[in-house]
Amino acid sequence: MTENSGAGPGPGALGSVGLVEDARNQDLIRRREAHMGGSMLFYRDPVHIVRGEGAWLYDQDGRRYLDCYNNVASVGHCHPRVVAAICRQAGLLNTHTRYLHEGIVDYAERLAGKFPGKLDVCLFVCTGTEANELALRIARAVSGKTGAVVMENAYHGNSVLMNELSTCVSEPGSRPPHVAAVEPPNTYRGPFGPDPGAGARYASLVDGAISQLNDSGGGLAAFLCDSIFDSQGTLEAPPDYFARVYDQVRSAGGLCIADEVQAGFGRTGTWWGFEHYDVVPDIVTLGKPMGAGHPMGAVVTSREILEQFSQRNVYFNTFGGNPVSAAVGNAVLDVFEDEALLDHVRNVSPYLRAQLQQLQQRHRLIGDVRGRGLFMGIELVGDRDNKVPDRNTALAVAEQMRDHGVLVGATGRHGNVIKVRPPLPFCVDNVDFLVEKLDRVLSARAGQ
Ligand SMILES: Cc1ncc(COP(=O)(O)O)c(C=O)c1O
């Protein structure tokens, strides 16, 4: 479950355990409840953030919080170049993609240039949900089939179709026939463990899902998978997993869609999460970090696939790829280039991993540390031998970290994985700050 659902073990559950009685900001909370319905609110004493800069967020009293949670502001909160790009273009022109515009074409060229193989056309949308929805539409049109294979406990968005494919909000048995879910390749607590043959064994589950779709789900249109497995608690799949699955999917006539809404734009130390697995998807979906806070998403695919889709389909998006969005997208890429952000992620992430692994040696509560780049999961367990997931501790740790001025989330199938996914300029000093606070919070819990 991700931050998008309040019902399960995402950090949304922090809000669902109820506000503390003396929560600050009572008036704002009341007004919010009156006119924003059940919209999710993090923390039992919710934070009132008024300003952001780099990896830091500031509340109304000027108290600062190290942001170890927000991947949208990937180049850092309120990066001056992004802010300037928005202001400049908003003062000049903002229409849509149906007039010629240099900035939009520049952006499409630059973005396409970041992809391997034949992935060279971009369709612009405004959210990750829209990107996945369009990707599925394309896959259905090209394959002539309707079904999709997804992971158990997946999150792919909030439209009708994406809600059906988001298995974190449904039980096995209650899903529509065009959805077939497989066990994610979790080498820590999955059924096949970290054995050398685990990649093949996890991949073989996809064959069963394809048969299920062929029997009663309208056949296979697509395999859709988040390359960093965020809602499964951040996984490193066996190296051969995706190559095997992609072969199986393509042999069955389906398309391979990499959901890079979480993993994309340098988060994992490569431009795209799928690059860790030496595969090239047929379709890639983008969102969150693409606009550093400005709503942007995209579907990237090959000309060949797009032409097949376009024979019988029309696609238009009023806001997607408008001149202001294109200016923002270009500014984000400028920051990546001029600040060598990808190199920065590659330099800092081994230090983050090593520090978290050292914490694991000191705290028996930490069963596993995993992830890639600046996207790490810290799995908390009742005891290491039987790996009982400790959701309550994960929720309490997230709350206590906030009291120590650090924002993290709790995620995963059992809600017991602390998620560390900060803005990418996160530096070595930030790592030390995070680890020192986490050490303190875990020590205090161990002493309870
Ligand atoms: C993997 C993944 N895909 C898609 C989405 C949906 O993106 P959006 O909320 O922008 O619609 C999310 C959002 O959390 C996500 O985590």
Side-chain angles (χ1 to χ4, degrees), residues 58-395:
Y58 297 82
D59 74 8
Q60 85 266 36
D61 302 321
R63 178 161 189 224
R64 68 175 194 164
Y65 298 85
L66 181 62
D67 184 1
C68 299
Y69 180 77
N70 288 288
N71 58 345
V72 170
S74 58
V75 296
H77 288 281
C78 304
H79 194 290
R81 290 188 68 174
V82 175
V83 175
I86 293 177
C87 296
R88 198 171 45 244
Q89 188 58 46
L92 202 59
L93 172 78
N94 201 16
T95 49
H96 46 74
T97 49
R98 288 187 291 183
Y99 301 128
L100 280 174
H101 191 275
E102 197 88 33
I104 302 172
V105 178
D106 278 351
Y107 184 56
E109 278 174 355
R110 287 179 78 186
L111 186 61
K114 304 285 181 208
F115 286 88
K118 295 186 193 162
L119 295 169
D120 58 4
V121 288
C122 310
L123 300 174
F124 293 118
V125 298
C126 306
T127 65
T129 301
E130 275 185 85
N132 283 332
E133 185 80 26
L134 178 59
L136 241 295
R137 241 183 99 192
I138 294 172
R140 283 179 166 185
V142 170
S143 66
K145 307 281 173 47
T146 51
V149 177
V150 291
M151 295 294 128
E152 278 293 354
N153 212 58
Y155 183 80
H156 293 294
N158 56 31
S159 62
V160 171
L161 181 56
M162 284 310 123
N163 194 50
E164 288 172 350
L165 297 185
S166 293
T167 48
C168 66
V169 294
S170 61
E171 293 302 322
S174 70
R175 295 172 187 148
H178 55 266
V179 179
V182 292
E183 246 338 278
N186 184 335
T187 53
Y188 174 66
R189 67 166 63 250
F192 308 132
D195 311 340
R201 297 183 77 186
Y202 282 111
S204 71
L205 300 177
V206 172
D207 281 332
I210 294 172
S211 302
Q212 181 191 324
L213 292 174
N214 283 336
D215 289 347
S216 56
L220 175 71
F223 168 75
L224 171 63
C225 185
D226 165 6
S227 307
I228 189 68
F229 301 90
D230 170 42
S231 52
Q232 288 84 14
T234 313
L235 306 180
E236 295 171 45
D240 56 336
Y241 176 73
F242 279 98
R244 288 176 183 279
V245 171
Y246 278 24
D247 278 351
Q248 292 160 219
V249 168
R250 286 173 178 148
S251 306
L255 279 77
C256 301
I257 306 174
D259 180 335
E260 293 277 337
V261 169
Q262 292 278 358
F265 289 92
R267 169 64 48 191
T268 67
T270 50
W271 267 104
W272 315 112
F274 63 77
E275 290 175 279
H276 292 282
Y277 298 99
D278 210 15
V279 291
V280 179
D282 302 304
I283 307 178
V284 181
T285 58
L286 308 176
K288 293 184 189 279
M290 188 172 172
H294 182 83
M296 289 180 74
V299 170
V300 181
T301 188
S302 67
R303 171 154 309 282
E304 195 186 337
I305 287 177
L306 188 64
E307 277 169 3
Q308 289 179 59
F309 171 71
S310 302
Q311 280 165 11
R312 286 208 206 90
N313 292 275
V314 173
Y315 167 72
F316 164 66
N317 192 308
T318 299
F319 296 115
N322 68 64
V324 170
S325 299
V328 170
N330 274 314
V332 168
L333 296 184
D334 289 343
V335 174
F336 264 94
E337 283 163 19
D338 296 348
E339 297 182 11
L341 213 44
L342 204 52
D343 288 341
H344 171 79
V345 174
R346 288 176 184 150
N347 290 334
V348 175
S349 58
Y351 183 69
L352 171 63
R353 179 185 282 268
Q355 293 303 104
L356 294 178
Q357 283 170 337
Q358 274 186 27
L359 266 193
Q360 183 183 12
Q361 282 169 16
R362 289 205 292 284
H363 297 281
R364 287 196 56 77
L365 257 174
I366 301 182
D368 196 26
V369 168
R370 55 179 183 259
R372 295 187 191 277
L374 289 179
F375 201 135
M376 296 299 292
I378 306 160
E379 177 146 2
L380 303 188
V381 290
D383 76 73
R384 284 202 190 154
D385 298 331
N386 60 22
K387 300 182 184 173
V388 175
D390 194 344
R391 175 173 193 248
N392 288 341
T393 297
L395 295 178

Side-chain angles (χ1 to χ4, degrees), residues 8-27:
L14 298 175
S16 69
V17 295
L19 301 178
V20 291
E21 270 178 17
D22 58 346
R24 292 171 304 163
N25 303 302
Q26 291 286 357
D27 185 48

Side-chain angles (χ1 to χ4, degrees), residues 24-25 28 45-53 56-66 402-403 405 407:
R24 292 171 304 163
N25 303 302
L28 197 54
D45 181 4
V47 283
H48 179 190
I49 300 295
V50 295
R51 186 168 77 77
E53 190 180 339
W56 294 92
L57 291 169
Y58 297 82
D59 74 8
Q60 85 266 36
D61 302 321
R63 178 161 189 224
R64 68 175 194 164
Y65 298 85
L66 181 62
R402 163 236 197 273
D403 296 340
L407 304 181

